[in-house]
Amino acid sequence: MPKSTPISATHGTPYPIPQSELSILQSRTHPPVPRTTPLKTLHAATRSLERFHARPPTSRTAAETAALHRLTDLGHNTSRFGKDIVFKAFNDIDAVFFAGKLYRNVWLGWGDCPRRGKVAGMCGAAGARGVRRVSITLDDRILGLPTTRLRDVWSTMMHEMVHAYLKVECGTDSDLDDPGGDVAHGVCFRRCLAAVQRGLGGKLFVELDVTHTLTRREGEDRRWESGYRPVGGARRAMGGGGGRRGGRGRRRREGGLAGVLRWLCWS
């Protein structure tokens, strides 16, 4: 999918989302939702997400239930998936796994990540000063390769959605108190990842070390020979967000939200 081509509700993977919502998600100039409460601390936002995923299923709101039903219906025919589905299902993924905090507060798009070949996605800011939303950029040079599976795209987006959640709720995702020194993937970030994993049934649903995965497949795509080969490794481990815990997370089994969202593992 060329980065200059907007995702359309009437083309590509069928999914029930209004074009107006897709346009807002892809608009760099649309303002964020005005805050009615002060920004939270990293620990407060983390505890909030942990409580959200600790609730019993009976406490889901009508909006969450409707989003889960749409995701479940989508899973009945995974053969029709295209990479545009991460855009179309973004708001429902947000409702089910991030308490709807990212709704209209995030710009999502294809682009070129500055650290060429080292990361498959990045989280930053979009829009003019004073009306900025959080941005999630998916690198089309890596994720657009034919050998890149849809699960790699899901993996990258979900990783960046955790960054976006902390930026929206706290104004930053930099954990300056992290003893490991990886401020962007600190204790709070890893706790949020663990909370999302619990929401997914306590199992790792996709492999998040995207660059590592694609390196193993470099012989399958000739374009690796002309500038697509990654240098170094991207920290995309769901189990640890980088650091000493990252490798352990990649070895965990894959699963889904009580088996319902198993389609996220489609490759």
Side-chain angles (χ1 to χ4, degrees):
M1 176 71 66
K3 59 187 176 184
S4 60
T5 304
I7 305 299
S8 170
T10 57
H11 297 86
T13 307
Y15 196 79
I17 179 174
Q19 181 60 50
S20 58
E21 292 296 338
L22 265 180
S23 297
I24 290 173
L25 180 63
Q26 299 173 87
S27 171
R28 288 184 175 272
T29 59
H30 195 279
V33 176
R35 289 195 67 89
T36 57
T37 58
L39 290 172
K40 298 178 179 179
T41 65
L42 284 173
H43 288 282
T46 300
R47 287 194 296 270
S48 179
L49 191 62
E50 289 173 334
R51 287 193 296 267
F52 177 77
H53 284 291
R55 303 170 305 153
T58 54
S59 65
R60 291 192 183 112
T61 65
E64 289 174 60
T65 302
L68 188 56
H69 286 167
R70 287 190 291 270
L71 293 171
T72 304
D73 290 342
L74 178 65
H76 292 160
N77 185 7
T78 58
S79 63
R80 63 184 179 176
F81 284 6
K83 293 175 183 176
D84 59 336
I85 189 57
V86 298
F87 286 77
K88 296 181 179 181
F90 182 92
N91 287 341
D92 285 344
I93 294 290
D94 170 39
V96 173
F97 296 106
F98 296 95
K101 300 298 184 180
L102 308 187
Y103 178 67
R104 294 191 173 183
N105 285 317
V106 170
W107 170 87
L108 177 65
W110 294 104
D112 298 334
C113 293
R115 297 172 61 194
R116 181 180 175 89
K118 289 189 176 182
V119 294
M122 63 178 294
C123 184
R129 187 180 299 275
V131 292
R132 286 184 175 175
R133 294 194 294 169
V134 174
S135 69
I136 294 177
T137 303
L138 304 177
D139 194 306
D140 60 341
R141 294 173 299 184
I142 294 178
L143 298 178
L145 291 172
T147 49
T148 302
R149 297 169 297 185
L150 181 61
R151 60 188 286 177
D152 300 326
V153 185
W154 280 118
S155 300
T156 302
M157 189 183 76
M158 291 290 284
H159 179 103
E160 302 305 336
M161 287 178 80
V162 176
H163 282 298
Y165 168 79
L166 291 174
K167 287 179 182 291
V168 167
E169 288 294 277
C170 311
T172 180
D173 62 350
S174 296
D175 190 349
L176 300 179
D177 296 326
D178 179 58
D182 187 359
V183 295
H185 302 94
V187 172
C188 290
F189 180 87
R190 295 194 295 268
R191 283 173 57 188
C192 287
L193 284 174
V196 172
Q197 283 185 228
R198 286 194 294 274
L200 286 159
K203 300 176 182 178
L204 182 64
F205 75 107
V206 278
E207 183 179 27
L208 293 192
D209 194 341
V210 175
T211 305
H212 177 71
T213 300
L214 294 178
T215 300
R216 293 201 307 265
R217 280 183 252 136
E218 62 184 281
E220 302 173 24
D221 192 324
R222 290 186 176 181
R223 282 186 290 176
W224 283 94
E225 301 172 2
S226 57
Y228 282 85
R229 188 186 307 277
V231 179
R235 289 182 174 179
R236 285 290 179 272
M238 187 84 162
R244 293 184 297 272
R245 299 174 179 84
R248 189 169 60 201
R250 291 192 295 272
R251 290 191 293 269
R252 297 181 61 180
R253 291 183 58 197
E254 299 170 355
L257 177 57
V260 174
L261 296 183
R262 197 174 303 278
W263 54 270
L264 280 172
C265 296
W266 177 78
S267 59

